[in-house]
Each structure stands twice: as C-alpha cells, then as structure tokens.
Amino acid sequence: MTITQLEYVIAVDTYRSFVAAANKCFVTQPTLSMQIQKLEDTLGVKLFDRSHQPVIPTEIGEEIIAQARVLLAESEKIKEIISDRQKELSGELKVGIIPTVSPYILPKILNGFIQKYPAVKLIVWEQTTEQIIQQLKLGTIDCGILSTPLHESSITEIPVFYENFVAYASKNSKLYKKKTITPDDIDMEEIWVLNEGHCMREQVLNICQRRKATKGFQHFEYNTGSVETLKRMVDMNNGATILPELALAEMSDKQRDRVRYFKSPEPAREVSIVMHRNFLKRRMIEALKNEILDFVPKRLRTKKKKEVMEI
C-alpha cells in the first residue's frame, strides 16, 4: 500500500470517474487503474463497483476510502511541520467563498495578500454554502469563507467578522420614509430576495420572520444569486431589498440616501473561515484571516448590539 495508491483511490471517489481522476492526478487512465487494482489485490477486496456509471465505491470501499482520507491528511501534516519551520509561507491555498461575500472583500485583500506572501498561490472558487461544505469534506479545497453557524460536526468554524444588514429602499417604499427601521416595518410583498440555495436569502427571511416562499414585487418572481442585481432592481423597479453592509462601499451619494439602518440590536451575519476538522495549512489560513481583519472596519469585528441571523 502506497500514498500514491491512496491518492488515486480518493480521486476516483471524488470525481466518480477513472478518466477524470487520472486527469486530475496527471497520469494516464491505465496507470491509475493498474495502481488501484494492485491495492485491491493487496487488500483482497473490491473498492469500486465498475459496472455502475458513474463509478461508486462498494460498501467496504466506502469505509476504506474514509480511512484513506484520514491517512492522507495525516501524511500532509509532515509537510506542514517542515513548512512551519520555514520563515516564508509557500504552496497552494484553495478557497471556496460564497458570492454574497466575495465581491466585497476579495478585491480589497487580494493584492495585499499576494505582496505579503508571494510564494503562496491563492486559488479561489465562488460556490454556494452547500458546495463549500461538500468540497471541504472531499478535501478538494482547504477552507471556505461563508456565513455561519453551520451546525456541522465535521466542520471547524473561525468567526472573522459580523456584518450588519441594511435596507435599501426606493422612494416609493414605506421604508424610505423612515430614518431607522425594525423587522416589523418590512413588507415582504415589496422585498427583492435572492433565490433559494443562497444562505443570505434564509437570513433575510429570518429577519422578517417569514420562512414561507415569497414572490417578487408586483406579482413578479425574479430569481438571482447576485446582491448587485437586487440593488439594481430597486433602482429601476421600485420596492426594497436587504443588503450586507459592505455592499455600501461603492455606492454613490444618491444611492446611500436610500439606505436605512435597523434599530439595535441590528440583524447581522457572522462571516467565518471554515475548514474540515482535520484541516491543514494552518499558517496560510491564519494569514488569510488576518488580511481580512485588516480590511474589515472595527465595528464589524464584534457582535455587540447585534443579532446574528441563522442560515
């Protein structure tokens, strides 16, 4: 049994295809298949049901693959011990980030992070919360940046900041006529919300204490995953929406006039860096967290006088 064989097995389990796994491992498909066959011969069991498409692990294969992931993670810690002894951070850091956070922090921290850590290659994907959790469990990303708490026993969460929610209202909205608002002031018939699958949608519905499905303004249902699109819909079609506070940074004075803050305790989202419980690359992840904290305003670093919305 070799580390390489275990890597090949995990790749097939992750991508459910011998061809795709071989491509990801930068080997030919016959080479990968031969090494997995050798491991199966050594163990005396079949790890995959090859008659099924896409390929799936056998019952015993699932148990062995789960242990293989643990073994590989432990072997990576040897490299991490060496890296920790070196002054310069180096290597790849694969990050998943939800699209309602990404545009408001990534452009602000990217150059600074690259300048401080030129030997680190940052690889970032915009993904939903569900996709990030799945990728962490599979080991295809190192960490995620998303809203918490997740209530996932296999995931470690490090809260980084607490971002207030604000209302963004057209002049025709009842909210526009108020200086500050409460959740009771919100009329869901005029609120534009993200489509299902985005955790911020659930947080907005929680602010309004309305879990049931809602339609868009004036009997029009619009599905979007973009906070910026919600803002434009208010600008051009009236109504109102709920935005994260960092989305205000690029607003014009005219747009800022449409922003209404909630009375204390203000609804907020907890944004965390999350990892699998057996996570590696601790120094890189810590460096990324510090870079975010350097950018985030001080008032967002505490949850005092805020009510954290559940996902």
Side-chain angles (χ1 to χ4, degrees):
M1 187 187 304
T2 68
I3 294 293
T4 299
Q5 288 173 339
L6 296 180
E7 288 175 340
Y8 291 171
V9 166
I10 289 172
V12 172
D13 179 55
T14 299
Y15 300 105
R16 298 301 165 102
S17 163
F18 280 80
V19 174
N23 288 336
K24 294 292 181 179
C25 294
F26 304 104
V27 296
T28 63
Q29 189 265 323
T31 297
L32 180 135
S33 296
M34 182 181 67
Q35 288 299 321
I36 292 178
Q37 183 64 58
K38 281 185 177 181
L39 179 58
E40 289 177 324
D41 292 343
T42 300
L43 298 175
V45 296
K46 289 293 182 183
L47 300 177
F48 296 102
D49 179 359
R50 292 164 173 78
S51 66
H52 193 281
Q53 292 298 325
V55 65
I56 59 173
T58 60
E59 186 175 344
I60 193 171
E62 286 184 351
E63 294 184 40
I64 292 171
I65 291 166
Q67 187 59 39
R69 291 185 183 277
V70 174
L71 288 172
L72 273 187
E74 292 299 316
S75 72
E76 285 294 321
K77 287 183 181 178
I78 295 174
K79 297 176 184 177
E80 194 162 294
I81 290 170
I82 297 170
S83 177
D84 285 345
R85 291 288 185 270
Q86 297 172 340
K87 291 182 179 180
E88 185 179 39
L89 286 178
S90 62
E92 288 185 346
L93 183 63
K94 299 176 181 177
V95 182
I97 183 169
I98 56 174
T100 59
V101 171
S102 176
Y104 309 117
I105 64 170
L106 269 187
K108 309 292 184 181
I109 69 167
L110 203 54
N111 283 338
F113 187 88
I114 291 171
Q115 289 174 8
K116 287 180 185 177
Y117 310 105
V120 174
K121 182 178 181 180
L122 202 58
I123 304 173
V124 182
W125 291 270
E126 277 196 8
Q127 299 172 316
T128 63
T129 295
E130 186 178 345
Q131 289 171 327
I132 290 172
I133 293 172
Q134 182 67 14
Q135 296 301 311
L136 286 171
K137 290 178 178 178
L138 291 173
T140 51
I141 60 175
D142 300 306
C143 65
I145 301 173
L146 43 69
S147 289
T148 51
L150 298 175
H151 305 296
E152 283 271 349
S153 59
S154 63
I155 302 297
T156 297
E157 302 174 4
I158 302 177
V160 181
F161 63 94
Y162 301 88
E163 184 179 16
N164 297 348
F165 285 110
V166 301
Y168 183 69
S170 68
K171 290 185 177 180
N172 293 335
S173 169
K174 296 175 184 177
L175 299 179
Y176 184 83
K177 298 172 177 62
K178 295 178 176 287
K179 291 184 178 181
T180 57
I181 63 172
T182 69
D184 291 336
D185 295 324
I186 295 174
D187 178 2
M188 287 303 295
E189 292 302 316
E190 71 164 8
I191 292 291
W192 297 95
V193 296
L194 295 173
N195 56 13
E196 293 185 10
H198 292 272
C199 58
M200 202 182 100
R201 172 191 171 91
E202 300 305 316
Q203 290 168 322
V204 169
L205 295 182
N206 281 337
I207 292 172
C208 308
Q209 297 178 338
R210 290 281 296 273
R211 300 288 300 187
K212 63 183 182 180
T214 58
K215 290 190 175 182
F217 181 63
Q218 292 182 339
H219 310 291
F220 176 69
E221 183 172 353
Y222 183 75
N223 294 291
T224 181
S226 167
V227 172
E228 293 302 306
T229 300
L230 294 181
K231 196 164 58 178
R232 292 191 189 100
M233 294 302 280
V234 172
D235 288 339
M236 301 181 70
N237 296 280
N238 297 322
T241 192
I242 306 296
L243 302 175
E245 187 174 347
L246 291 178
L248 310 184
E250 305 299 326
M251 281 187 176
S252 65
D253 290 340
K254 182 179 178 181
Q255 287 177 315
R256 282 181 178 273
D257 185 54
R258 297 181 172 187
V259 174
R260 295 294 179 268
Y261 290 87
F262 285 89
K263 294 178 181 178
S264 182
E266 296 175 82
R269 63 175 176 177
E270 178 183 83
V271 178
S272 301
I273 293 182
V274 300
M275 302 77 58
H276 191 269
R277 62 183 173 217
N278 298 317
F279 71 99
L280 302 169
K281 303 185 180 179
R282 294 168 189 265
R283 286 180 64 209
M284 284 191 207
I285 292 171
E286 183 70 16
L288 179 62
K289 184 192 81 171
N290 291 336
E291 200 66 28
I292 295 172
L293 281 173
D294 285 346
F295 157 69
V296 171
K298 287 184 178 180
R299 68 181 180 279
L300 300 190
R301 298 177 194 173
T302 176
K303 58 181 178 180
K304 188 177 180 181
K305 296 184 179 180
K306 299 176 185 179
E307 181 183 357
V308 175
M309 295 292 104
E310 290 282 338
I311 298 172

